[in-house]
Amino acid sequence: MLALAVVVAGAVAAVWIGAAILTAGYGFDITDEGYYLLSYRWWSSNHLAPTGVQYIYGPIFEALGYDIASLRLFRLVTVVGIHVLFGWSFVRWLRLRRPEAPNTPLWEAAGIMTILAAGGMCFSWLPLSPGYNDVVLLGSLLATSGVLWAAVAVDRGAKVTAWVPAATGCVMTVMVVAKWSSIVVISLIALSAIVVLAAQGIRSVARGIAWAFVGSVITAGLMHLLVVSLNVAIPGIFAVNRLIANTSHSPSDLLGMYWSTGFELLLETVRQHTLLLVAAVVAAVSHQPLVRRAAWVLGMVGIGLSIWRALNDGGLGGGPVNMTRYTVTLLAAVVFTLVTVVVVMLVDRLRRNPEPSSRSSVAKEKVRGWVILGLLTVLPLVHAFGTNSALYTIGFNAFAAWMALMLAVITGIEAAPRVARAMTATVAAAAILAVASISFGGLWLNPYRSFAHSQLTTTASGVPSLASIKLDRATAEGYTSLYERLRPYTQPPGRAVLAFDKIAGIVLLLDGRPVGEAWVSPREPDRTAAGIEADCTSGRPWWGSRAPILLFNRKVTNREVRALSACGLDFASDYTLLAPPNETIGLQVYLPTGEAAGGHR
C-alpha cells in the first residue's frame, strides 16, 4: 500500500509539475500579472508600492534577463522545493508520534510525495508569475517547518539548534516585506513555536526568540545593504498603505466578509456532501457488527455520491471560473477528516477504562502536539488574511497543510473501526486525485485571464518583453501592432507611460516605466492620483523633458486631468490623440503634442 501511495501521489505531482513546465511560456494577463511583472521590471527605481515583494522577485527577474517564462519556472522550483521540505519536516515529526508505523523509508516517502502532490493547488487559479501570495504561502510552510524541527528536538530531549529559530526569523522578515498583513500568520506560528519550546523551560523560549530576532535583523540588514535602502523602501510602502486605508475595506469589514463567505462555503459543503459526513460519524462509532455493516454501506454510497456531485457540478475543474465549485470538493475532504477524528476521540474518551493499547495515537497527544495540529488546521485560512476577497480564494493554495493534517489523522486513528480508517484514507486519496484535475484545469484549460492552452499559438513578434510567451493569434498581432506603432516614442526603454485602468501589462510590453504606482485601479482613483503627484513633488518630474505617454481603455476624466496638472502638464494643450482607438487595439493613446506632430526622438 505504501508503494502504491508513492506511485499515485508521484503521478499527481507529475501532472501539475509537467503542466506548469509546459505552460510556462504560454498566456499573459495584462492586469494582475502585468502589475507584478512591471513592478519587478522597475524594482530599483519605482518605490511606490503597497508591499515590498518587488524587492524579492525584482532582482531575480533582472538576473533572469526579464524573461517571463524563466520567472514562472523559478516559481515552480520554489513551490516544489518548499513543499518537499515541508513534507520532510512533517514526516520527521510524525514518525516520533507513530512508533507502530512501518519501519521502512516508504512510509516517509509516501507522506512527502502526498504533501508535494497537494502543492498543486498553488496552480489552481493564480497568475503563473509569482506574487506576494506566493511569498506568504511558501514562507508560512517554511516557518512551520522550523516549528516542526524544533518539536522533533524537544521530543528527543535535545537542544534546539540555533539555526532553526534563526532561519525562521529570516523567513518571517521576508514575509513581512512581501505583505505586511502576513504578521497575522507569523504571530500564530511564533506562538506555536513558543509552546513547543516551553517544554524545555523559559530559557529555551528566550534562546529561541533571541535567535529568531538575530535572523530577522541579519535579513533586514542584508536587504538594506545589498538590495534596497530601507530608508527608501519603507516610506514608499507606508505612503501607499495610508492611501489604501482610506479607500479599502476596514479590518472589521474584512472580518465580516471573511466570516460570511466562509460560512456560506461551509453550508454549501455540508449540503452537497451530507451523506458523506453522516457516514463519517457512523463509521467512527461502528464498534458493533450491525453498525459496522451500516457504516460500510453508507460510506460507499456517500463517497460515490460525493464523487458524482464533484463531477456533475464542476467540482474538479480548475481556474477562477471553478473556484466556488472545487473549494466545496476539497473542503468536504477536510471536514470529513475533522468530523472523523473528533468523533473517534469522543468515543475513546467515553469508553470505560480503555486499555492504553486500545487508544488511538491522536488521543494520546500532548499539548504541543495539539498546538501543531491546530496550526495545520488554521494555516490555510490565516495565511490569507489581508486579501480583499473571501479567505478561501487564497487559502486553498495552502492545501498541503490540510493534507498533512489528514495524514496525521489517517496514521493516528489506528484504534478506530476499520471502516473509519478505510474511509478516511479513501477520502484523502480522492482529494489528491482532485488536486491533479484542478491544477491541470487551472494551468491548461482555464488559465488566469487567458485562453486555453490550445489557443495560445503565436508570439508577439518584435516585442522583446514578451519574447518567451505565446498568446492567442489576435492578441499577439495586436500587441505587435501597438508596439511597432509606438516604438519611435518608447525607445530607449524606460519612457514614462501612464496607463488607465488595470493594464500594467501594456506598459511592460511597451518597455515603459510607470508613473506613481505600477497598479492603477478604477476603484481607487484618489490613490492613483496621489501616486502620480508623488512623482512630481521635487518640482521636476523624473522623466525630464519627455513627458509621459498616456494610455486609456476608458473615457478621460477630470481626475486624471487634475493629477497631470500637479506635474505641470495641461492635458488639453500638451497632449494629442495618436490615432483612432480601433488602430491601437482599442486604447486611446495620447502623445505629447510636439512628438505627435513629428518631433519624436
Side-chain angles (χ1 to χ4, degrees):
M1 290 298 294
L2 288 175
L4 178 62
V6 172
V7 171
V8 172
V12 170
V15 167
W16 63 262
I17 292 172
I21 292 173
L22 293 175
T23 57
Y26 292 82
F28 177 63
D29 162 41
I30 64 172
T31 62
D32 295 341
E33 185 177 34
Y35 157 63
Y36 295 152
L37 294 172
L38 183 61
S39 66
Y40 303 159
R41 173 64 179 86
W42 302 102
W43 69 271
S44 61
S45 55
N46 187 33
H47 301 291
L48 281 175
T51 75
V53 69
Q54 66 192 60
Y55 305 119
I56 298 170
Y57 287 121
I60 296 169
F61 193 35
E62 183 177 352
L64 295 173
Y66 304 117
D67 186 274
I68 297 174
S70 296
L71 184 65
R72 291 172 173 177
L73 291 174
F74 175 83
R75 179 197 179 205
L76 173 63
V77 170
T78 60
V79 169
V80 171
I82 290 175
H83 276 83
V84 168
L85 177 58
F86 171 67
W88 178 34
S89 303
F90 175 75
V91 297
R92 283 182 75 248
W93 173 79
L94 193 62
R95 168 64 82 175
L96 296 180
R97 323 190 87 69
R98 305 292 184 263
E100 302 301 321
N103 187 22
T104 168
L106 281 176
W107 191 83
E108 280 81 3
I112 293 171
M113 290 304 298
T114 300
I115 289 173
L116 173 61
M121 288 305 296
C122 291
F123 295 93
S124 58
W125 73 276
L126 286 173
L128 290 178
S129 296
Y132 48 77
N133 289 312
D134 293 280
V135 178
V136 178
L137 165 61
L138 300 179
S140 297
L141 295 180
L142 279 175
T144 301
S145 297
V147 176
L148 291 168
W149 278 73
V152 168
V154 170
D155 287 345
R156 290 175 175 172
K159 189 176 182 180
V160 178
T161 310
W163 71 263
V164 174
T168 303
C170 168
V171 170
M172 289 178 172
T173 298
V174 174
M175 291 169 64
V176 172
V177 169
K179 188 178 180 182
W180 68 267
S181 60
S182 64
I183 196 168
V184 176
V185 68
I186 288 172
S187 299
L188 188 64
I189 295 172
L191 181 61
S192 302
I194 289 172
V195 172
V196 168
L197 295 174
Q200 293 185 335
I202 190 64
R203 293 186 62 182
S204 178
V205 173
R207 181 174 174 272
I209 293 174
W211 276 112
F213 179 75
V214 169
S216 179
V217 170
I218 290 175
T219 302
L222 290 175
M223 180 168 288
H224 178 76
L225 294 173
L226 303 178
V227 180
V228 61
S229 171
L230 298 182
N231 297 332
V232 173
I234 292 177
I237 295 173
F238 278 6
V240 173
N241 277 278
R242 280 194 296 269
L243 292 169
I244 293 175
N246 295 326
T247 58
S248 188
H249 299 287
S250 67
S252 60
D253 289 339
L254 282 179
L255 289 175
M257 184 265 291
Y258 293 163
W259 170 258
S260 61
T261 54
F263 190 65
E264 289 172 5
L265 176 66
L266 179 60
L267 286 180
E268 183 63 19
T269 301
V270 172
R271 186 187 69 80
Q272 290 192 26
H273 301 279
T274 302
L275 186 60
L276 179 67
L277 300 179
V278 170
V281 175
V282 176
V285 300
S286 62
H287 290 279
Q288 300 301 320
L290 182 61
V291 180
R292 192 176 304 123
R293 285 193 288 272
W296 280 110
V297 173
L298 277 175
M300 289 187 290
V301 175
I303 291 174
L305 181 60
S306 290
I307 292 174
W308 178 82
R309 290 299 299 264
L311 290 169
N312 190 59
D313 296 345
L316 298 180
V321 67
N322 292 305
M323 186 185 300
T324 58
R325 301 182 181 95
Y326 70 68
T327 48
V328 170
T329 299
L330 295 181
L331 186 60
V334 178
V335 174
F336 176 93
T337 303
L338 292 175
V339 168
T340 298
V341 71
V342 168
V343 176
V344 165
M345 291 186 61
L346 287 175
V347 171
D348 183 84
R349 177 161 296 198
L350 293 173
R351 292 171 64 192
R352 294 183 178 180
N353 302 318
E355 294 293 330
S357 60
S358 67
R359 299 179 65 201
S360 295
S361 296
V362 290
K364 304 174 187 177
E365 272 295 353
K366 298 179 180 179
V367 172
R368 60 180 180 272
W370 280 114
V371 167
I372 290 176
L373 292 176
L375 175 61
L376 295 175
T377 302
V378 302
L379 181 66
L381 296 180
V382 176
H383 98 278
F385 265 63
T387 178
N388 286 334
S389 303
L391 281 181
Y392 62 78
T393 61
I394 303 297
F396 275 84
N397 297 341
F399 191 67
W402 275 337
M403 184 51 60
L405 177 68
M406 291 185 203
L407 293 178
V409 172
I410 291 169
T411 59
I413 57 172
E414 61 271 46
R418 182 180 178 184
V419 60
R421 289 179 279 127
M423 284 181 60
T424 306
T426 301
V427 168
I432 284 298
L433 293 174
V435 170
S437 176
I438 294 166
S439 57
F440 181 80
L443 287 164
W444 200 274
L445 303 176
N446 303 298
Y448 187 79
R449 295 181 180 175
S450 181
F451 294 89
H453 187 270
S454 60
Q455 299 180 50
L456 304 174
T457 59
T458 310
T459 300
S461 177
V463 183
S465 60
L466 300 183
S468 63
I469 301 298
K470 287 189 177 182
L471 308 166
D472 66 286
R473 182 175 179 180
T475 299
E477 292 177 349
Y479 289 168
T480 296
S481 172
L482 181 68
Y483 182 84
E484 290 299 326
R485 186 73 180 262
L486 289 176
R487 186 176 182 180
Y489 312 101
T490 57
Q491 297 302 308
R495 173 72 185 268
V497 179
L498 255 170
F500 303 85
D501 287 310
K502 297 179 69 172
I503 51 174
I506 300 295
V507 181
L508 178 74
L509 71 88
L510 292 175
D511 298 321
R513 176 179 161 186
V515 178
E517 282 190 74
W519 177 250
V520 176
S521 170
R523 295 190 302 175
E524 301 172 300
D526 290 336
R527 172 180 166 185
T528 299
I532 296 170
E533 293 169 8
D535 267 344
C536 304
T537 54
S538 62
R540 181 178 181 182
W542 63 262
W543 53 77
S545 61
R546 299 183 77 196
I549 294 173
L550 308 181
L551 305 177
F552 290 87
N553 58 9
R554 57 165 173 79
K555 183 180 178 180
V556 183
T557 70
N558 289 332
R559 195 178 296 271
E560 291 81 53
V561 173
R562 289 195 301 269
L564 290 170
S565 66
C567 298
L569 298 171
D570 182 270
F571 178 76
S573 61
D574 292 341
Y575 281 95
T576 301
L577 187 68
L578 172 65
N582 62 353
E583 296 181 16
T584 50
I585 64 170
L587 298 174
Q588 300 173 59
V589 179
Y590 290 93
L591 297 177
T593 302
E595 295 185 63
H600 63 262
R601 45 183 166 172

